[in-house]
Amino acid sequence: MANRVTSNMTSSPIPRVVIVGAGFGGLNAAQALAKSPVHITVVDRANYHTFQPLLYQVATAGLSPGEIAAPIRSILRSDKNVQVLMAEVAGFDLDRRLVKTSEADIPYDYLIVAAGAGHSYFGHDDWEPYAPGLKTIEDALEIRRRVLLAFELAERQASTGETAAQLNFVVVGGGPTGVELAGTLAEISHHALTHEFRSIDPARTHILLIEGGPRVLPAYAEDLSRSAQEQLNRLGVEVRTSAIVTQIEPGAVYTGDTRLPATVILWAAGVAASPLGKNLGTPIDRAGRVLVEPDLSLPGHAEVFVIGDLAALKDEKGKMLPGVAPVAIQQGRFVAKLIRHELESNNKAAVAPPFSRPSREEPALSERSEPKGGDFDSHSRPTFHYWDKGSLATIGRAAAVAEFGRIHISGFIAWLSWLFVHILFLIGFRNRLLVFIQWAWSYVTYERGARLITGSTYLPGWTADQHPDPAQPDAVHPL
Ligand SMILES: Cc1cc2nc3c(=O)[nH]c(=O)nc-3n(C[C@H](O)[C@H](O)[C@H](O)COP(=O)(O)OP(=O)(O)OC[C@H]3O[C@@H](n4cnc5c(N)ncnc54)[C@H](O)[C@@H]3O)c2cc1C
C-alpha cells in the first residue's frame, strides 16, 4: 500500500513544474508534459541540448558541434507553456520549494532534477588538465584541438630535418566512450590523414587503450568484449587490460612503475554525478547519484524527482540501471506522465494537487518524517520499470558490438544498427540528414571534414626535446 501527500502548492493558479537540465531526461520530461495544463520552466546552463553519443565524432573531427547539438529554445518552440531559461542552478530550498540560480529563485510545485553527470578522476583532479574527458561540446573541441595539434607539431618538427617525434595517443578507460575514441583515433591516423602530411607518416601513430579491469566493455557479455578487443586490434589499437593508471603527468601515463610516453591523453575512465545531487540533501551513492524512490521521487519529498544519470535506482533483479540515454528518456517520460495523472486526478477530486509515492518495504512516508507543508492520504503511485531494448557500442569504421538479450552481434551489421539508431534519435531532421550525408561521404572517402584547430596552440607534454625553447617546456607553441 502506498501513500500520497497533499501538498502546499505555490500560489500560482497553474501548477509550476521546474526542470533542471535539458539533456535526454529533462527534455523528454518537458516534451511529454508540454500538452498538460502546467507551466514548465526548463533551466539549463547551456542554451543547447547535446546528443552525447555523437560527441566522439566531434572530438575526432568527423562532425561539427552544430550537427549534434540543437538550441533548447528551438526544440521546445511549439510548446507554448514551456519557458526556457539559460542559468546555472546553484542549489535548492526544498522547504520553500525554490530552485536557486545566481540570478533568481524559481518557485515550483513539482521539480524534476536531470542534471546528468561529469567526469571522475578518482580523487586525482590534478590529472584533468593533462587528460581531458568527453562530456560536453567544449570537451570534444578540446580533444579535437589536441589530437590535430599533435600531428601539426610533429610535422613542423620533422620539416626542419629533426627526427619526427613518435606520436602516442593514450585513452584511459575501456568503456564505450574509451573504445569509440580509440577506434576512431586509429581510423584517423591510419586512414584519414595518411596522404596529407609530407614529413611525418600519421599511420605510425601508436594508439593505446588502457583498461583497469580484465576486459574492455565490461558491461557487455564476455564474447562481445572479446570481439570488441579483436576489432580494436584490427583497427590498429593496442589494448592493455588489467592495467591501473597510477599517475598522469604532462606527456606521460604511468601504470604501476611503467612510464608510457603520451602525446595526447584522453580520460574515459570515471563518471561522477552532478554535484547538484548532493545539494538535494538526501543519501547519495559513491558516484554521487541520488538514491531515489521507485517512483523516482526524492525520499521525503514526493514533489521532487531525480532522473537520468543523476539518479540511482535498481531494476527488479537488483541491478543498478545504467547511465544511458534510454534510461534518462524513459524516466523523463515516466515522471511527466505521473505528474499529469496526479494533476488530472486532483482536478477530478477538486482538491489541492496531491503528491503520492509508491510502496516500499520501509515505513510509509506518513509514518516517517512528514515533508514540510504536506498532508497525506493513501493513493498509490506507479513504480518506474526500465524497458531495456538492448545495448550498442561503436568501435570504429564498420566495427561495433550489439547485445539484444541473447542475440549478440559484432562487426558491420552491429555498426549499421548503431548508425541507424543514432541517426534516428538525433534531434532535428536537419541534423539527421546532415549526419547521414557526412557519414556516407566519409565512409566512402575516409575524409573527416571538421579538422579545425581552434583556441590555444599549447599541447601539454610536448616535451623539452620536441620544444623549440627547452627552457620553457610547457610554454605555448605558436604555430
Ligand atoms: C561521450 C558519451 C557517449 C555516450 N554514448 C552513449 C550511447 O551511445 N548510448 C547511450 O544510451 N548513452 C550514451 N551516453 C550516456 C548518455 O548520454 C547519458 O546517459 C544521458 O545523456 C543522461 O541524460 P541526463 O538527462 O541524465 O543528463 P545529460 O544528458 O547529461 O543532461 C544534463 C543537462 O543538465 C545541464 N546541467 C547540469 N548541471 C547544471 C546546473 N548546475 N545548472 C544548469 N544546468 C545544468 C547540462 O548542461 C545538461 O544539459 C554517452 C555519454 C557520453 C558522455
Side-chain angles (χ1 to χ4, degrees):
M1 188 65 182
N3 53 40
R4 162 179 288 207
V5 346
T6 309
S7 103
N8 286 346
M9 303 290 283
T10 60
S11 53
S12 165
I14 302 174
R16 288 192 255 205
V17 181
V18 175
I19 301 175
V20 176
F24 284 106
L27 207 52
N28 275 277
Q31 287 172 322
L33 254 183
K35 304 283 175 283
S36 307
V38 289
H39 182 270
I40 303 165
T41 307
V42 176
V43 192
D44 199 295
R45 59 158 70 109
N47 77 329
Y48 53 85
H49 164 83
T50 304
F51 191 80
Q52 292 175 6
L54 290 183
L55 273 174
Y56 83 98
Q57 281 287 341
V58 175
T60 54
L63 295 172
S64 295
E67 287 158 356
I68 69 151
I72 301 164
R73 209 169 277 296
S74 93
I75 299 169
L76 298 171
R77 69 175 172 267
S78 53
D79 300 318
K80 301 294 178 215
N81 59 337
V82 182
Q83 178 171 34
V84 178
L85 292 180
M86 183 178 153
E88 178 80 27
V89 171
F92 310 93
D93 182 337
L94 296 184
D95 292 341
R96 294 168 60 214
R97 295 192 180 165
L98 297 172
V99 173
K100 303 186 96 53
T101 73
S102 52
E103 296 298 315
D105 292 348
I106 309 169
Y108 64 84
D109 297 302
Y110 284 98
L111 170 63
I112 303 173
V113 187
H119 316 295
S120 165
Y121 286 81
F122 307 121
H124 295 284
D125 288 351
D126 53 313
W127 294 353
E128 186 166 9
Y130 315 125
L134 182 60
K135 191 69 198 171
T136 61
I137 294 278
E138 286 85 353
D139 295 336
L141 293 178
E142 177 58 14
I143 291 173
R144 181 179 84 177
R145 187 189 75 78
R146 290 187 192 204
V147 168
L148 299 178
L149 187 59
F151 289 109
E152 295 301 335
L153 293 175
E155 173 80 353
R156 187 178 68 184
Q157 181 191 37
S159 70
T160 65
E162 283 183 53
T163 311
Q166 168 65 45
L167 293 182
N168 298 305
F169 295 162
V170 178
V171 180
V172 184
T177 301
V179 163
E180 66 195 7
L181 275 174
T184 316
L185 286 176
E187 190 185 321
I188 297 184
S189 314
H190 303 156
H191 296 288
L193 298 180
T194 41
H195 303 299
E196 300 196 2
F197 288 83
R198 301 294 171 255
S199 301
I200 60 164
D201 178 7
R204 288 187 55 241
T205 306
H206 180 223
I207 321 284
L208 174 63
L209 177 65
I210 301 178
E211 162 59 35
R215 58 189 177 103
V216 296
L217 299 182
Y220 286 71
E222 277 189 41
D223 60 313
L224 292 179
S225 289
R226 259 195 317 277
S227 167
Q229 182 156 345
E230 283 160 16
Q231 293 182 65
L232 281 165
N233 293 153
R234 272 202 294 280
L235 288 166
V237 177
E238 184 196 344
V239 179
R240 287 194 200 175
T241 51
S242 303
I244 307 277
V245 169
T246 48
Q247 172 66 15
I248 293 181
E249 60 184 31
V253 172
Y254 291 78
T255 56
D257 292 335
T258 310
R259 181 181 188 278
L260 305 163
T263 326
V264 174
I265 310 166
L266 304 180
W267 184 258
V271 175
S274 158
L276 281 184
K278 213 187 291 175
N279 285 348
L280 288 165
T282 55
I284 52 175
D285 70 4
R286 278 173 60 203
R289 290 173 300 186
V290 179
L291 302 172
V292 291
E293 299 283 353
D295 65 344
L296 303 172
S297 70
L298 195 65
H301 285 275
E303 73 285 7
V304 179
F305 298 90
V306 184
I307 60 170
D309 283 3
L310 186 54
L313 183 69
K314 290 184 176 158
D315 66 15
E316 304 79 54
K317 293 179 188 147
K319 201 170 151 215
M320 191 62 79
L321 293 179
V324 292
V327 171
I329 292 170
Q330 290 178 31
Q331 290 184 337
R333 291 177 184 162
F334 170 87
V335 166
K337 201 168 163 190
L338 190 155
I339 292 174
R340 211 172 45 235
H341 281 171
E342 282 195 2
L343 291 172
E344 277 166 9
S345 64
N346 175 57
N347 281 345
K348 279 188 201 135
V351 293
F355 302 123
S356 64
R357 66 177 55 251
S359 59
R360 249 195 175 181
E361 281 160 20
E362 59 197 63
L365 187 67
S366 52
E367 296 160 34
R368 295 182 272 145
S369 64
E370 185 176 326
K372 290 276 185 302
D375 303 319
F376 302 90
D377 66 20
S378 58
H379 295 76
S380 66
R381 261 185 183 178
T383 291
F384 174 74
H385 293 287
Y386 173 50
W387 181 26
D388 186 355
K389 296 177 201 158
S391 308
L392 289 156
T394 184
I395 298 164
R397 189 186 165 79
V401 293
E403 187 171 341
F404 304 111
R406 286 204 209 127
I407 301 171
H408 297 176
I409 313 172
S410 293
F412 185 67
I413 301 291
W415 182 73
L416 271 188
S417 324
W418 187 92
L419 211 79
F420 175 74
V421 167
H422 286 80
I423 289 183
L424 200 71
F425 279 93
L426 198 58
I427 297 251
F429 176 74
R430 175 187 157 276
N431 284 341
R432 267 177 237 144
L433 195 66
L434 282 177
V435 168
F436 180 73
I437 293 168
Q438 287 270 18
W439 259 331
W441 181 250
S442 67
Y443 190 78
V444 177
T445 63
Y446 280 98
E447 214 173 273
R448 299 193 80 80
R451 293 205 324 261
L452 312 181
I453 297 173
T454 52
S456 156
T457 53
Y458 166 62
L459 185 63
W462 188 252
T463 54
D465 54 345
Q466 298 159 329
H467 195 277
D469 178 2
Q472 297 181 52
D474 279 346
V476 168
H477 299 255
L479 281 173

